[in-house]
Amino acid sequence: MNYSAHLSKITDVSKSNDGKFFVNSEVPAWDFDGITKKLFPKTQPSSTDCVLFSKNNIFFVEFKSGLEKLVDWSNYDSSKIQCQEIGDRPCAKFGNLLRQRDEYKENMLQLNIQMKASDSYKTFEKIIIPQMPQHPSKHVFKYHLHFITVIDCKDIENDICEDIMLQMSDAKPIPKTNHITNIKSCLKRFARQDLWYDDIKVFGVQSFLDFLESTYPTKTIANSTNS
């Protein structure tokens, strides 16, 4: 099957539903959503946004925006939930509702990413690879599979500023986790060379641009713009 019509670039495959691009880069990318729709015209499985190739490495890439809109509960400003009805003091009930809402949203997002990791692997290994003339069963085509999630959040896993502010406050200790840590954790089971992917990575936008620049040094990479 010919997939040439689905050759695109990072800028286009990272666009959100409202047309805003997530990462601005001219690096070529295969639109894996489009390929999946071609393979399954009636009912599509989940799929990553794109696939990148570099020598014998194949990178499945999923872009996820919206995480920056969730509350950072490791360093939350309680003044944001002050209630005039109780004398401009923080409303614990409202704060709990916000936390439950964000926990639900992040859990759904993690489940969505897990499904994309699973279904994309199966589509590639069970449908696409057997179509290739150099099938791995002939010990000709050797490759390494990688799964990358790019999110619109901090590039660091734990912010030292959060640690200092928590130590200075009277707040109860909160586990030091953020979105990158959480997504890495939810994808941990897919980091198995014998069953799934050779490697799992979670990047913020700038770290992903750095990865592209080191992997494709001859390609033009512009500045990033979050959706």
Side-chain angles (χ1 to χ4, degrees):
M1 188 175 289
N2 191 333
Y3 302 110
S4 59
H6 300 286
L7 180 59
S8 184
K9 56 186 178 181
I10 292 292
T11 298
D12 294 328
V13 296
S14 70
K15 282 184 179 178
S16 58
N17 293 332
D18 59 6
K20 296 180 181 179
F21 62 78
F22 190 81
V23 177
N24 187 14
S25 168
E26 297 298 313
V27 169
W30 294 88
D31 178 0
F32 200 65
D33 282 332
I35 291 173
T36 302
K37 289 178 182 178
K38 183 174 183 177
L39 291 170
F40 304 93
K42 293 184 178 180
T43 303
Q44 291 87 35
S46 297
S47 57
T48 57
D49 291 309
C50 69
V51 178
L52 309 177
F53 293 88
S54 176
K55 297 180 180 179
N56 64 334
N57 292 293
I58 302 173
F59 304 96
F60 288 83
V61 184
E62 176 65 17
F63 301 97
K64 281 296 177 189
S65 60
L67 280 167
E68 64 177 0
K69 298 177 183 178
L70 300 181
V71 174
D72 181 0
W73 291 102
S74 64
N75 183 24
Y76 183 60
D77 182 2
S78 61
S79 66
K80 294 179 181 179
I81 57 171
Q82 287 184 350
C83 178
Q84 295 180 355
E85 299 297 325
I86 57 174
D88 291 329
R89 289 183 290 110
C91 178
K93 290 184 178 180
F94 182 52
N96 287 334
L97 286 175
L98 282 180
R99 173 173 284 213
Q100 291 172 21
R101 179 206 64 178
D102 284 0
E103 287 177 350
Y104 173 80
K105 285 184 176 181
E106 187 163 4
N107 286 338
M108 290 299 99
L109 183 141
Q110 290 178 15
L111 288 173
N112 178 265
I113 295 175
Q114 288 176 331
M115 186 66 71
K116 287 175 180 287
S118 174
D119 286 0
S120 296
Y121 177 88
K122 293 173 185 175
T123 297
F124 185 78
E125 287 284 338
K126 302 298 184 181
I127 306 296
I128 296 178
I129 283 296
Q131 297 175 355
M132 293 183 175
Q134 293 182 328
H135 193 274
S137 63
K138 301 175 183 178
H139 304 286
V140 177
F141 181 55
K142 301 292 184 181
Y143 58 91
H144 300 285
L145 289 181
H146 309 265
F147 188 86
I148 296 174
T149 305
V150 185
I151 62 176
D152 58 346
C153 293
K154 298 175 183 178
D155 274 316
I156 54 178
E157 290 195 51
N158 287 304
D159 189 344
I160 190 171
C161 293
E162 294 176 0
D163 298 340
I164 295 173
M165 291 184 71
L166 282 173
Q167 291 173 9
M168 293 175 62
S169 70
D170 294 328
K172 294 180 180 179
I174 298 175
K176 293 193 297 181
T177 58
N178 66 6
H179 302 304
I180 288 182
T181 305
N182 292 341
I183 293 175
K184 278 185 177 180
S185 179
C186 85
L187 291 171
K188 186 176 180 180
R189 68 184 180 92
F190 293 102
R192 288 191 55 177
Q193 296 179 1
D194 56 334
L195 292 177
W196 296 99
Y197 297 91
D198 294 88
D199 186 44
I200 298 290
K201 294 185 183 299
V202 182
F203 290 133
V205 175
Q206 186 56 53
S207 290
F208 182 61
L209 285 169
D210 294 341
F211 161 78
L212 292 177
E213 190 168 15
S214 63
T215 307
Y216 308 94
T218 61
K219 301 297 180 182
T220 300
I221 302 176
N223 292 329
S224 63
T225 300
N226 289 358
S227 56

